[in-house]
Amino acid sequence: MDDFGPSASTPLGDEELHLIDAYWRAANYLSVGQIYLLDNPLLREPLRPEHIKPRLLGHWGTTPGLNFIYAHLNRIIRARDQGVLYVCGPGHGGPGLVANTYLEGSYSEVYPAIGQDIDGLRKLCRQFSFPGGIPSHVAPETPGSIHEGGELGYALTHAFGAAFDNPDLVVACVVGDGEAETGPLAASWHSSKFLNPANDGAVLPILHLNGYKIANPTVLGRMTDDELQSLFVGYGYDPVFVEGSAPEAMHLLMADALDRVFDRIRAIQSAWREGNESGWPRWPMIVLRSPKGWTGPKEVDGHQVEGSWRSHQVPVANARNDPAHMEVLETWMRSYRPETLFDEGGRLRPELQALAPSGDRRMGSNPHANGGVLRRELKMPDFRAHAVDVPQPGGVSAEATRAMGRLLREVISLNAEARNFRLMGPDETTSNRLDAVFDVTDRVWMEPIEPPDLHLAKEGRVMEILSEHLCQGWLEGYLLTGRHGLFSCYEAFIHIVDSMVNQHAKWLKVTREIPWRRPISSLNYLLTSHVWQQDHNGFSHQDPGFVDLVANKKADIARIYFPPDANCLLWVTDHCLRTYDRINVIVAGKAPAPQWLDIEQAALHCARGAGVWDWAGTEVAGLEPDVVMACAGDVPTVETLAAVDILRKALPALRIRVVNVVDLMALQTKRQHPHGLEDREFEALFTRDKPVIFAFHGYPYLIHRLTYDRPNHARMHVRGYQEEGTTTTPFDMAVLNELDRFHLAMEAMARVPGLADSAAHVIRHLQEKLTEHALYVRENGQDMPEVRNWRWAPAPAAE
Amino acid sequence: MDDFGPSASTPLGDEELHLIDAYWRAANYLSVGQIYLLDNPLLREPLRPEHIKPRLLGHWGTTPGLNFIYAHLNRIIRARDQGVLYVCGPGHGGPGLVANTYLEGSYSEVYPAIGQDIDGLRKLCRQFSFPGGIPSHVAPETPGSIHEGGELGYALTHAFGAAFDNPDLVVACVVGDGEAETGPLAASWHSSKFLNPANDGAVLPILHLNGYKIANPTVLGRMTDDELQSLFVGYGYDPVFVEGSAPEAMHLLMADALDRVFDRIRAIQSAWREGNESGWPRWPMIVLRSPKGWTGPKEVDGHQVEGSWRSHQVPVANARNDPAHMEVLETWMRSYRPETLFDEGGRLRPELQALAPSGDRRMGSNPHANGGVLRRELKMPDFRAHAVDVPQPGGVSAEATRAMGRLLREVISLNAEARNFRLMGPDETTSNRLDAVFDVTDRVWMEPIEPPDLHLAKEGRVMEILSEHLCQGWLEGYLLTGRHGLFSCYEAFIHIVDSMVNQHAKWLKVTREIPWRRPISSLNYLLTSHVWQQDHNGFSHQDPGFVDLVANKKADIARIYFPPDANCLLWVTDHCLRTYDRINVIVAGKAPAPQWLDIEQAALHCARGAGVWDWAGTEVAGLEPDVVMACAGDVPTVETLAAVDILRKALPALRIRVVNVVDLMALQTKRQHPHGLEDREFEALFTRDKPVIFAFHGYPYLIHRLTYDRPNHARMHVRGYQEEGTTTTPFDMAVLNELDRFHLAMEAMARVPGLADSAAHVIRHLQEKLTEHALYVRENGQDMPEVRNWRWAPAPAAE
């Protein structure tokens, strides 16, 4: 049904057909073996109960299709010397990918204990889904993989992320018809509208319709070919259909289909690279309809298994204890004729070995799948060159993210030639004030460009689509293949990708324990347009809870930064872009705000993670403070300093210490987190037992939880977001959540022992101020002049 | 381009065209007025700076299109006496929906202070996006709305949720081209494959392409009509295109299009309801291409505004302070000729008033949009009838969710006639052992049904699609329109809808403060296939953190339950299905597990939220225990009792108290949460100062955070999920995370003052047990017999 011509390659000959089928049988055989066998891996003796695992775990249904695709891609890779990355959406088909990387030799290279002999086969089978062995899914442990596929929806975004800026790579992406029902996958098809044939590689989507999920048919599997054709033409593809169940016919169809789609990919790329074409191309894709559990038992206990949902996991459930089931299993396994596939020593026969590509062309050895191997350090500019001039604390106002935009512009320039940095965002790069990057690059956009459009081009380092899922998935694929990037997002809506972050964190956690996996660049977030600055939007855009999710991750992976001003944001950005194997979350505002530290002070402060701001406090040398006013986040910092300003004027004798926290993990103990302060360092900041009034950007519980193991933590009085909000002024937002200067000052007075009475008049005055604010803002639609015009000034000279 | 015939209705006459255009101008005029004006709402005097708001907030770009659609739907509603619900995907077009519900009179009925006169108009304009006023978005405050649209992606799922089981309703759902880029929306188009024309209402999607997002063109807006046609035919729709910018022509096109699509909807429904048709129909939809910021300023400061991204928010930014901008604004507003629209008193002229439907037919007064008004209590069976017989604690084994399935079966039966309960799940109803429901109902499936399919039918109470987003969105729409339901999901993957839960929680929080909004049924979750039971899958399927997210919600909304066995799960399910305006999370396993309480004990225990299990402890009357062993969650409860079993045998003199927590919110103080225990109740369970070893199902920090305000909380030693996992046995999972019986027993001995020395031999023995376990499980692929075969038994009679 495609509109491109006949294949330029020769069709599959009889001999090759026979061999490729044998290779497929070998992969299927080893897949079944992994699910079932403890021993007797080549069935050289009759199957007995003790050969069978006591707990049968795994997913057969999708696996033969995955193996079929793998075998045919091997043929294409060899025929064309083409680098191909295999992204396996149905990641629970783990046995298939393990079997194939074993057959081609990649597996034994990274796991020498699993050798190419009978003992290796035994271990290969035994380790699968076995305690102390390997997971049931395509996982970080699987050579050649960048995608786990446990949580479905992200295969195609990962594939596109891998293809960007890799012009020589074809990413074959298998999308299961279960996964195709998810939202993120449904939107991912549009990714081809952001891929440039001249500079990027190609993605070949292979929609694998085997018709069933766990217990249900699939939505796409039950669509007619006409409907599918229409849908995918609408998405911008030219689908080629490969449908059937008879192996021979299917091999011929698949070989022909792959020849045609690879021809087509080459034709598109050539036209673009020779400058003959610049219109957005319709890329080919394959729709493969094959039975679920293909080649497995047709029927078990009177129920249809092949071609039905019953083949999803383990089709013959009781093989160890039920002789009839054992017989079904043995017949099934012998149907692949293992004796024709492996030699005496248990090694794949040479004529079959010859079907696999060699070296790095093997999909299990493709270096892009172990991105750290290819990763080049980012060239970093001097962040100091973009500093905001801060002659004295609070003396100037600046938009923090605008300064960050200038730094990112230089990052993009310095690495333009390497083409290894991208900035992702859901249509918010300009809104988030990062638009300095458009001095040197554009947003990539392959659809038509019209006069009102700004900074759109057929190539660019910035990628914007109104889908946090796609931004996240593209960036993950890009990082996993050895490149760098940053995702800038509205703070509230980063929750849309919570579960993707969970999965990436799990991936990083596991890869750190795998010696042959090289570190990849960190996943960096800028969260801005945050909870305290939602003038245009209000309650629906107010949620600072993403950091709570991230704080649940393993300590060596998660980092959370709250730079209080532009210069601190510059240091933090520079730092994060240099790290690897982490998830770095930076929360910073885009609104004009007072600046506190010059660039050298900022660098020192951020490197420490937290520090006393002597210039802001009213301490007396040699005496402990009466109260510690702590803050994390830009708005809480402003309100804390404004509270200190109130207190120092009203109660000049009160000894206040101001502590600002940039690196939230510093609050934890060293035992809990590598960035944690030692207890003595913590006490040097927060004292041992003085009341701490902590103004926090997010939900207050996070501070409690991070400081839980600190001495006397009952003295920590945390204020933060209480889930109160609407469309109002930023200061009114602070008041609604009792994080404003008036509430902070009142709490300080209430917590210093013995002060409440003598400060009663001040507390009353502040309560009146709150009433005055409430009336004023509702009458005038903006804040009182004393709030709007408040500026920090150095303390008057001591009396 | 649709294939259904010419409209059966008369086309729009000149007079009606003139009037409908005037109505549209009135809505546009009031939309601009809301964004800009403090006063002078009808421009009866020249515009002056003090008439203009100091902070200009809102979104103009999408609004004229929303108003256009509203005016034309009004015509259809009157012409056909058809109930229509308006779901506004571009919810930031708030001024449009407020303007329209004001013009039709709905607004003043619920907000009498905003009357149909000049004073009302002044207040209407002033309150918008103003402190103390109303939010900028279509929000709970907006009559007629069930959908905020701040976070994009869910409009169409909400629309379908509203349409299910409402056969007389047409839900007109406006999908912006920004939102259309999101994953959840891209999958939502398939929802029509789950809608039955006989028993459900209809959804009319109106894809509104205005071409731009915040700063970028849109992916769908730049597609050709051919591509769009192909895409939506592929999805299963028949699109009707309405395209242009000249108002007159557009009115004629839109009126004709709506006549045709409503004819088509009626034709489909009639055929089905008369039994003449049962094939899945292709539903009509409208693709409306109109300029962004339509009828607004063409150009400001030399830049194109109408038809470009520059009209997204406030097109004339400096109207208060820049006389040239003020003139643009005044010219723009006067272009709608307000003097022709409103009478002397400020009331919409009678000939325009007559265009709006009346009473409940007004979209702002549609009772489905205030679902609590229509909500009927669910008929509840006696949960005791489904109890598992538990003659003594630990004496029997059962699958908790299987018992719950039997209860749900009765719920479905009892409410079959009311058709007001649905069970949602991503293909997991059977996998999660709820399949008793299939005794009385089916999964709804409109695509072809084939022989291997089980429990599929063209109607049914169960809805399964492999998209947590769709399950969640459908259920939200269903609940918001006054019905009931439950979402059963794999625990790890409920994170996919984190951000939807955030938005629903915000909706509930706000509606509770709006007197005219009636309570709706709670959003109920069963989270199963949980972190401790992932035999088939492993690490990617292990994440118990959803409850952390929910715990951040307002206390009066969030409830979290960990029933330890089947009978407790029955009580909790019964309880949750009776509540309203809440988010109830139930976490319970599906694997066979020991049962602890008979149904009466369970009811008492769950009603209290937490309790001492005397039968499990080794307390001595009149003496305080040495240690409290606490647990929340089914697997932690088993491990805790097994630890107690070890301790009571090894150290018979040790006084152990066992506390089980079902309702997690009981741990908080009464001040923090209405379910919180009073301090004295808390101490009656946990003592005042004895060590507490708390085995928790989720991340341990949550327990710390919930008990933070309790006395002596430093004595709480919590064990939970530490982000360690793979494909292994459930017991090995507990060991990897140090939540197993051996670790719990060792911790208890370490924490009881003075015990560590005398118990040193026991501790050593348990360390050896851990080593033995590690070796055994890796050798045998299953747990040691002493673990597998362990059963709780009553304590031997005292010596």
Side-chain angles (χ1 to χ4, degrees), chain A residues 81 112 210 229 343 742:
Chain A
D81 190 25
N210 64 28
Q229 168 82 6
D343 68 16
F742 304 130

Side-chain angles (χ1 to χ4, degrees), chain A residues 126 136 181 212-214 216 222 230 235 427 453 464 466 498 506 536 542 554 713 724 779, chain B residues 126 136 181 212-214 216 222 230 427 453 464 466 498 506 536 542 554 713 724 779:
Chain A
R126 180 190 177 88
S136 60
E181 295 178 10
Y212 286 95
K213 299 176 299 228
I214 303 179
N216 276 292
R222 290 283 158 96
S230 184
Y235 272 124
D427 192 26
D453 302 346
E464 298 201 336
L466 210 162
D498 275 3
K506 285 175 182 289
H536 274 278
Q542 292 159 354
K554 280 282 178 188
H713 61 200
E724 293 291 339
E779 179 63 27
Chain B
R126 180 190 177 88
S136 59
E181 295 178 10
Y212 285 94
K213 299 177 298 230
I214 303 179
N216 275 294
R222 287 285 157 93
S230 184
D427 191 25
D453 303 345
E464 297 201 335
L466 209 162
D498 275 4
K506 285 175 181 289
H536 274 277
Q542 291 159 354
K554 279 284 177 188
H713 62 200
E724 293 292 338
E779 180 62 27

Side-chain angles (χ1 to χ4, degrees), chain A residues 242-503:
Chain A
V242 175
E243 309 187 332
S245 60
E248 259 193 41
M250 287 293 278
H251 286 304
L252 292 169
L253 283 172
M254 187 68 174
D256 179 58
L258 279 177
D259 278 334
R260 285 154 68 206
V261 300
F262 274 82
D263 286 350
R264 175 69 176 160
I265 289 169
R266 191 164 46 196
I268 292 169
Q269 290 178 335
S270 299
W272 270 74
R273 293 174 191 183
E274 291 156 12
N276 300 330
E277 182 61 75
S278 64
W280 172 61
R282 295 174 66 185
W283 291 94
M285 65 175 283
I286 290 177
V287 178
L288 170 64
R289 272 196 213 260
S290 69
K292 185 151 187 156
W294 198 11
T295 72
K298 303 279 180 248
E299 216 182 89
V300 177
D301 299 338
H303 293 297
Q304 178 186 346
V305 172
E306 189 196 39
S308 100
W309 52 271
R310 285 196 172 82
S311 64
H312 181 70
Q313 288 181 340
V314 177
V316 201
N318 206 10
R320 187 174 159 113
N321 301 315
D322 176 339
H325 274 205
M326 192 168 75
E327 192 186 328
V328 173
L329 172 63
E330 186 163 2
T331 305
W332 171 20
M333 292 197 73
R334 291 199 189 278
S335 76
Y336 299 117
R337 287 172 281 140
E339 65 284 2
T340 68
L341 307 171
F342 299 92
D343 68 16
E344 196 55 36
R347 201 177 165 87
L348 189 67
R349 290 184 183 275
E351 67 275 22
L352 298 180
Q353 280 183 40
L355 296 191
S358 57
D360 282 0
R361 284 295 190 227
R362 293 171 298 177
M363 289 186 281
S365 298
N366 189 314
H368 296 287
N370 186 6
V373 171
L374 300 176
R375 176 177 179 266
R376 295 163 56 187
E377 293 290 333
L378 212 49
K379 290 184 198 158
M380 290 298 296
D382 180 7
F383 67 91
R384 291 174 171 80
H386 305 282
V388 174
D389 186 30
V390 182
Q392 66 176 49
V396 297
S397 174
E399 295 157 310
T401 55
R402 203 174 286 287
M404 179 176 174
R406 292 191 290 266
L407 178 64
L408 292 175
R409 178 186 62 202
E410 299 310 309
V411 171
I412 289 170
S413 290
L414 281 173
N415 299 281
E417 204 177 323
R419 305 184 65 84
N420 63 351
F421 178 86
R422 293 208 181 207
L423 181 63
M424 313 285 177
D427 192 26
E428 294 159 9
T429 305
T430 297
S431 162
N432 288 339
R433 314 270 200 272
L434 300 177
D435 39 344
V437 300
F438 296 126
D439 296 349
V440 299
T441 192
D442 292 295
R443 292 179 274 233
V444 62
W445 184 263
M446 300 297 295
E447 289 187 282
I449 295 174
E450 294 183 4
D453 302 346
L454 275 186
H455 310 306
L456 254 57
K458 292 207 189 296
E459 64 169 311
R461 297 288 101 198
V462 181
M463 306 197 65
E464 298 201 336
I465 185 168
L466 210 162
S467 166
E468 287 77 4
H469 291 114
L470 265 63
C471 292
Q472 172 83 16
W474 290 344
L475 181 55
E476 287 178 358
Y478 201 65
L479 299 175
L480 287 160
T481 48
R483 283 78 65 77
H484 310 263
L486 186 137
F487 179 2
S488 121
C489 190
Y490 276 30
E491 181 188 48
F493 300 147
I494 196 68
H495 271 300
I496 291 171
V497 297
D498 275 3
S499 53
M500 298 181 77
V501 178
N502 286 343
Q503 296 299 330

Side-chain angles (χ1 to χ4, degrees), chain B residues 685-705:
Chain B
L685 295 180
F686 293 98
T687 75
R688 181 156 183 86
D689 53 10
K690 297 299 173 198
V692 177
I693 315 301
F694 201 124
F696 177 51
H697 174 95
Y699 291 101
Y701 284 118
L702 183 55
I703 300 300
H704 285 308
R705 143 186 176 171

